[in-house]
Amino acid sequence: MDANFAKENEPMYDAPLGKNDVDAKDTKIAAKDVQVYYGDTHAIKDVSVDLLDKTVTAFIGPSGCGKSTFLRCLNRMNDTIDICRVEGLIELDGEDIYDKRVDPVQLRAKVGMVFQKPNPFPKSIYDNVAYGPKIHGLAKNKAELDEIVEKALRRGAIWDEVKDRLDAPGTGLSGGQQQRLCIARAVATEPEVLLMDEPCSALDPIATAQVEELIDELRASYSVVIVTHSMQQAARVSQKTAFFHLGNLVEYGETSQIFTNPVDPRTESYITGRIG
Amino acid sequence: MPLLWLFLIVLAIAAVGFVLGRARALASAGGDVRNLHSLPSYYGNNVAIKTVVPAILVMLIWLIVQPMIVNSTISGMIPESSVAENSSLGLVMSEVRRTAEGLDNAVANGDMTEEFARDARADFTDVTQRLKDAGQIVTSDVTQPILRAAQSYRIMNATGNLIMSGIVLALALSGLFWGLRDSHAAFRARNTVEAAVRALLIGAASIAILTTIGIILSLVFNTVEFFRLYPATDFFFGTSWAPSFSGRGGSSDLGVLPLLWGTFYISIVALVVAVPIGLFAAVYLSEYATPRVRAVAKPMLEVLAGIPTIVYGLFALLTVGPLLLGIFGDDGLGWMQAGTAVMTAGLVMGIMLIPFVSSLSDDIINAVPQAMRDGSYGLGATQSETIKQVILPAALPGIVGAILLAASRAIGETMIVVLGAGAAAKLSLNPFEAMTTVTAKIVSQLTGDADFSSPEALVAFALGMTLFVLTLGLNVLALYIVRKYREQYE
């Protein structure tokens, strides 16, 4: 805990720079000229971005700039909104995810999502995690399911806290535990990409630190995309950063470069707090 | 003085008080509203309230208490000998009241002078004759004690009314002056009016509660009376319902079990129809329907709830009964003897309950946070998987509450049963047989010229009490479950 507080006290953007070395990695998701409309509102304009595998990418930008909307395009969550229309090309491993042959339900199993507010189902902790594996038939029997659940909870860094009360309701956990449970739940379906929409905005600094640590560990196996309002958080956890403003992708690059030497004046204004 | 006039005079005094109080307050502030504590109309209202409320309250209390006092005094005047056999003091008293009324009307029509009506020595045969001549029908011949009692009844009431009018007017006037004295700039008229509004609201709430208590008490007293005449064990555990009406003599079997069985059987059939249909309709409306479909379909479904139950009863009798008879009757499977049966009533009652279940469930399903749906879709679940495994379990306590409310409604339903289920109290498992319920039997025990001291009539109260306890229990259970559910997302 003390270490975490110490981290908070360090100068704003220095800490992560050293460890955010990005090797040459494959492109996981490629978006080209993506446009999103809500009814008549043009919410996302000409966004093209390549998200890398085994990398944490942070989306930053002022409220209403479209970063969450763009994130929800990546696993077609926007399909559940009637008035939303997506144009352009988004490819996952070279396959167009908006192709007619792609089943959005299958896609979402591959591209998992964690939401702003922890939203455990009103079920037991075990059933929360087992939900995804069960509906996708990932386990042949109970023993295998137990194994998957334990593995997911361990990856969610919450196993030690809940292993003795897997039958307790997930809603009874604290906010930070709930969010880690939701991450474990998303991890349990073995996704290839993990989308996180402001996963720490409802959490206190301690829980935030735990979740951030977890995100850093998840990087080893997944491509993680995180939307955040906290620039310190973006600097701490991500290797790549994309800055959105008024529906446009203004700048995309190495996190260290965006925070120390931004190319676009708008990016500089935002990270120094002049617009937002 | 007639009551209406008294009431209008009090209101007139209050109206005058309003104008005077308003003007006086304004004058005390030098005509400038800004110097007043409250707006001028509050001062007027303050005076009007102080005029009306005490006066009308005293009037109401007086109107309740006076007949009680008069009645007990007059009852004391009637010698025991004049209470004939198989009659009662109550019957004699109503005769006294009729005679007094006859005298009143005769005086009002000018057929009798006031002195004659009050004359204690008047010959009672003469009075009877004159009352009959005047067209004031008196049932039997007026006897001496009854005439005397009627005369003092009139006199006591007249003096009572006079005193009441005096007191009420005096109270109204003193209230007026009390209010006027207070009508100066510093008086907090606004707060006084606020307190009066509060008292009015408390009064309205307590009337509803007191009425409930009154209903329960009347049920309890009559139920206790019934159990004095009929053994409780026979009532609760008797398996035969065969009331014999006092006119025909003989003893009755008043076992509640056949009626309870009929009630539960019909309710269960109704719920078996209503719960799946209502629930699926609710799921469609809240999860699948587009907003446009929902805007049309939901009110249409709720129209069902607005149809009077007697119309459902007709539907059961004229449409569903013959339809079922065609399939299960002698021409078809041969299970059904007549159109009225448990199945007929149960099916129609189920249709009646669909909007209850669907409307309540729809609200409850909508109350499940969108985050639950997002979470499930985000894990790659389909819509029906999400509904089955996340939304319905989350909404289950609320849905159970809705079903219990529908059940208590089914148990209390009368008209559909009267018309659709027949009138035979039977303990049978065949759903195509006629049966009857507690409510339908309450109706049949109390309609007609029931003697309210016989167990055959009083059993209706015991049945009503049983039903009340049952539905109250279900409602309490439903509320408890619904409340428990609410805590889950807060």
Side-chain angles (χ1 to χ4, degrees), chain A residues 72 77 80 105 108-109 111-113 115 119-123 131 135-136 185-186, chain B residues 291 371-372 374-382 385-386 389-390 393-394 488-489:
Chain A
R72 290 166 65 94
M77 275 301 275
T80 60
V105 170
R108 287 180 205 138
V111 184
M113 188 155 193
F115 296 85
N119 57 349
F121 303 133
K123 298 168 177 285
Y131 180 80
I135 57 175
H136 295 299
R185 189 175 70 183
Chain B
M372 294 291 130
D374 284 348
S376 179
Y377 295 146
L379 288 170
T382 63
E385 283 165 349
T386 303
Q389 301 196 31
V390 176
Q488 216 164 18
Y489 296 114

Side-chain angles (χ1 to χ4, degrees), chain A residues 44 47 59-62 65-67 70 242-246 248-250:
Chain A
I44 298 279
V47 172
F59 288 178
I60 60 169
C65 67
K67 55 195 186 312
F70 184 68
F243 171 61
F244 285 78
H245 189 240
L246 300 175
N248 297 303
L249 176 63
V250 175

Side-chain angles (χ1 to χ4, degrees), chain B residues 318-357:
Chain B
L318 298 176
T319 312
V320 176
L323 199 71
L324 286 176
L325 197 61
I327 302 169
F328 300 102
D330 287 336
D331 302 338
L333 294 165
W335 297 340
M336 204 171 175
Q337 306 306 319
T340 51
V342 167
M343 214 36 147
T344 315
L347 283 178
V348 175
M349 205 189 277
I351 294 167
M352 179 194 83
L353 292 178
I354 289 172
F356 279 87
V357 177

Side-chain angles (χ1 to χ4, degrees), chain B residues 226 229-230 252 254 445 451 453-460:
Chain B
F226 169 71
L229 296 170
Y230 193 86
S252 312
L254 299 174
Q445 290 310 101
D451 173 6
S453 55
S454 70
E456 285 79 13
L458 283 172
V459 71

